Amino acid sequence: MKKNEKLTCHCNGVSKKSIVHAIQKGGAVDIADVQRFTLAATGCRRCFSQVEVIVNSEIERLKLVGFQLKIDFKDNA
Ligand code: FES
């Protein structure tokens, strides 16, 4: 994490960027994965709802992108 990054989870020093990275590059598919991979929302849990919003919006965004890229060309031959 960079020095100027705003933290989403202060207990474990996790930024929004780290949460998004866990989903995009780490393969996290839900908040439980993000908690396991980053430790976000595993302390006092005050940030849980904020982490959940980030996870859900990123998953939805990737579903939209994935949906656009998932074209089966075999059926068009
Ligand atoms: S601020 Fe995230 S667990 Fe406490």
Side-chain angles (χ1 to χ4, degrees):
M1 187 189 76
K2 291 182 181 172
K3 198 173 185 178
N4 293 344
E5 271 185 65
K6 186 177 170 200
L7 294 178
T8 300
C9 175
H10 291 269
C11 287
N12 295 307
V14 183
S15 66
K16 177 181 178 180
K17 187 176 179 180
S18 296
I19 294 167
V20 170
H21 184 82
I23 296 166
Q24 290 180 352
K25 306 290 183 192
V29 296
D30 56 23
I31 192 161
D33 284 346
V34 169
Q35 286 179 296
R36 202 169 24 255
F37 297 165
T38 68
L39 297 181
T42 59
C44 71
R45 294 177 57 94
R46 196 173 39 206
C47 64
F48 186 90
S49 60
Q50 193 178 353
V51 172
E52 189 173 43
V53 166
I54 294 168
V55 169
N56 290 339
S57 66
E58 184 60 19
I59 296 287
E60 284 305 311
R61 193 187 71 75
L62 289 177
K63 279 182 185 173
L64 290 175
V65 172
F67 184 75
Q68 290 173 350
L69 294 175
K70 191 174 181 180
I71 300 170
D72 187 359
F73 290 103
K74 290 178 191 171
D75 291 338
N76 294 332

